[in-house]
Amino acid sequence: MRFLSFLILWCCTVSLSWADTMVLASTTSTQNSGLYDYLLPLFEEDTGIQVRVVAVGTGQAIRIAKNGDADALLVHHRPSEDAFIAEGFGTERFDIMYNDFVIVGPKSDPAGVSQTQDIQGAMAAILNSGASFISRGDDSGTHKREQALWQRAQLLPKGVWYREIGAGMGAALNMAAATGAYTLSDRGTWLSFGNKQDLSILFQGQAELLNPYGLVLLNPKRFPHVQTQAARTLAAWLTSARGQAAIGSFRVENAQLFCPNAKNEQELDKKYCPAQSLLK
């Protein structure tokens, strides 16, 4: 009888422990920037829910969620997020924040990227010059955006100058710094990156480079085991005044990395991200 009582108590304890923990499949850019190290302790303090982050490229994060191995998804490639919901894997998407992409390269700028007037011209300048370009090549949100930029410019990147490394943003920036190459980076990772060496931002500030992040809830009918309530609590907190203010307040070396943009927090958006804040 004592054993049965102990077993019941143990099962209840484990159940409560699971209910207080959730898994978030997300991107390397949010993790590597230090944002989660700043945000999630605040969330846990307010709600008692611990979030375990699986930080990978957007494509891999979505595959993890499609396997039901996460309770929520926070990534930055809107077409993939919409498809995830349309295919029945998710139920809702919430605007959380945004930053932007930048083209970085050697300060000498051998391709003349900084002299171009638009993103199509910038991509063409790199290709036509034959200057080295490092592509993440990892199906991440950044890699997907890079591919879209080449396509929009009606260009096909091919040749020894174009190197797909199949690795994260930090590795791409390290390789670009070591070889004097260009690459596309999200601003958050760039600002928090410590090995810039001779690299500098050479092109930025156009609408095509806007980088929105969304939180997607998994479909409990498809994945009955997911921690739906915990995921909804995270969504509510991230889109609340407290969560949005925390995102807007996050700094690395006094530089803002992300702008909050939950639809019901327009005043916060204006407060923390004036027009000139990121897209200069």
Side-chain angles (χ1 to χ4, degrees), residues 71-92:
D71 301 304
L73 180 67
L74 201 162
V75 289
H76 61 140
H77 187 248
R78 185 60 185 268
S80 297
E81 297 162 36
D82 291 341
F84 184 83
I85 293 174
E87 293 165 8
F89 294 103
T91 56
E92 295 179 76

Side-chain angles (χ1 to χ4, degrees), residues 18-181:
W18 284 349
D20 291 342
T21 303
M22 63 167 288
V23 175
L24 177 66
S26 190
T27 68
T28 55
S29 60
T30 45
Q31 177 81 329
N32 293 346
S33 69
L35 178 67
Y36 287 141
D37 292 334
Y38 175 73
L39 279 186
L40 296 182
L42 300 176
F43 173 69
E44 184 174 359
E45 179 183 338
D46 288 351
T47 67
I49 298 172
Q50 182 182 51
V51 181
R52 297 176 181 172
V53 179
V54 179
V56 290
T58 287
Q60 188 175 348
I62 290 173
R63 288 191 288 274
I64 287 171
K66 283 185 175 181
N67 289 334
D69 294 329
D71 301 304
L73 180 67
L74 201 162
V75 289
H76 61 140
H77 187 248
R78 185 60 185 268
S80 297
E81 297 162 36
D82 291 341
F84 184 83
I85 293 174
E87 293 165 8
F89 294 103
T91 56
E92 295 179 76
R93 180 194 178 276
F94 299 86
D95 286 323
I96 301 298
M97 60 192 182
Y98 68 91
N99 61 12
D100 63 333
F101 292 104
V102 295
I103 295 179
V104 302
K107 292 176 183 177
S108 60
D109 191 15
V113 169
S114 61
Q115 304 304 311
T116 59
Q117 300 302 309
D118 54 38
I119 186 60
Q120 290 86 356
M123 304 304 282
I126 295 171
L127 183 146
N128 292 332
S129 70
S132 295
F133 185 93
I134 305 300
S135 170
R136 285 180 58 170
D138 62 350
D139 197 33
S140 62
T142 303
H143 180 221
K144 291 175 184 290
R145 180 61 64 89
E146 179 223 315
Q147 291 180 310
L149 292 175
W150 290 118
Q151 291 172 2
R152 180 167 295 186
Q154 298 183 339
L155 299 170
L156 180 63
K158 188 177 181 182
V160 296
W161 62 275
Y162 184 74
R163 300 184 62 183
E164 294 183 280
I165 63 172
M169 196 68 252
L173 286 168
N174 274 321
M175 186 169 290
T179 62

Side-chain angles (χ1 to χ4, degrees), residues 6-23:
F6 172 78
L7 184 61
I8 292 172
L9 178 62
W10 181 83
C11 289
C12 291
T13 302
V14 171
S15 178
L16 286 172
S17 175
W18 284 349
D20 291 342
T21 303
M22 63 167 288
V23 175

Side-chain angles (χ1 to χ4, degrees), residues 100 187 191 201 203-206 255 274-280:
D100 63 333
R187 189 182 292 269
L191 289 174
I201 293 178
F203 193 90
Q204 61 182 322
Q206 293 204 335
Q276 69 274 22
S277 176
L278 291 178
L279 300 182
K280 298 178 180 179

Side-chain angles (χ1 to χ4, degrees), residues 247-267:
I247 291 169
S249 299
F250 178 59
R251 298 286 192 279
V252 171
E253 296 184 356
N254 206 35
Q256 182 174 0
L257 271 64
F258 299 94
C259 288
N261 74 327
K263 290 181 179 178
N264 62 337
E265 298 293 345
Q266 293 303 314
E267 291 307 313

